[in-house]
């Protein structure tokens, strides 16, 4: 099994068809370190977007407890509310985990590990944020309109998230796989 040399030190696909070490499979001439740096920047940018949304939802939830109408909530609604607050904190913690790991592994030549961890944390944060979004909307509908509307809004929003965040990306990834 031989690999062809690449001007930047990257290797081309070997005779086994394994492109796991192929740094030019997507047409970019970059070293593994350059790719890790680019991927880390992508993860950070996505975390910034996610974190902003999570902070807005968290602020909204925290402000609710200090509204006069909060006293009118039922015990079940208060439990639902507290569950949402914990979910909001959890999503922030998960979204910040890659940054903490990066600080601990800074200058330890572990960027690829940080990127892989960042990807896993980002996917987990997307899951927690999707549950949080559905929960917040369902909570608002429950308080304002009632249980049936809450369930309907939660289910509809859950389906929309599943389609836009999971189904469509999976279909597009499968199509991309067939195109290459």
């Amino acid at each position: 099994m031989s690999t062809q040399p690449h001007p930047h030190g990257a290797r081309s696909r070997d005779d086994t068809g394994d492109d796991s070490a192929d740094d030019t499979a997507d047409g970019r001439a970059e070293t593994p370190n350059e790719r890790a740096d680019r991927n880390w920047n992508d993860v950070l940018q996505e975390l910034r977007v996610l974190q902003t949304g999570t902070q807005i939802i968290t602020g909204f939830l925290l402000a609710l407890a200090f509204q006069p109408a909060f006293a009118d909530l039922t015990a079940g609604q208060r439990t639902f509310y507290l569950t949402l607050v914990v979910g909001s904190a959890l999503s922030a913690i998960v979204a910040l985990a890659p940054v903490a790991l990066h600080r601990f592994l800074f200058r330890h030549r572990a960027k690829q590990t940080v990127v892989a961890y960042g990807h896993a944390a980002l996917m987990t944060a997307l899951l927690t944020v999707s549950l949080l979004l559905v929960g917040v909307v369902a909570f608002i509908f429950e308080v304002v309109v009632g249980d049936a509307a809450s369930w309907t809004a939660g289910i509809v929003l859950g389906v929309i998230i599943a389609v836009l965040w999971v189904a469509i990306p999976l279909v597009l990834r499968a199509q991309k796989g067939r195109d290459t």
Side-chain angles (χ1 to χ4, degrees), residues 11 16 19 25 27 37 44 48 52 57 72-73 87 90 97-98 104 111 118 122 124 128 145 156-157 163 170 177 180:
R11 293 186 307 249
T16 65
D19 64 352
D37 288 341
L44 283 179
R48 285 183 188 112
T52 301
I57 292 171
D72 298 336
L73 295 180
L90 180 63
F104 277 97
K111 184 69 68 80
L122 191 52
T124 303
T128 60
V145 185
V156 168
L157 190 58
V163 168
L170 286 175
T180 57

Side-chain angles (χ1 to χ4, degrees), residues 50-112:
L50 184 69
Q51 201 172 18
T52 301
T54 303
Q55 288 171 342
I56 291 168
I57 292 171
T58 302
F60 165 75
L61 286 170
L62 294 177
L64 281 181
F66 300 102
Q67 300 302 313
F70 191 80
D72 298 336
L73 295 180
T74 67
Q77 290 170 333
R78 286 176 190 246
T79 300
F80 192 6
Y81 167 79
L82 291 173
T83 302
L84 292 171
V85 169
V86 169
S88 181
L90 180 63
S91 69
I93 290 166
V94 171
L96 289 171
V99 176
L101 181 69
H102 182 257
R103 285 293 92 207
F104 277 97
L105 296 180
F106 185 68
R107 294 189 177 166
H108 287 279
R109 300 180 188 264
K111 184 69 68 80
Q112 291 175 349

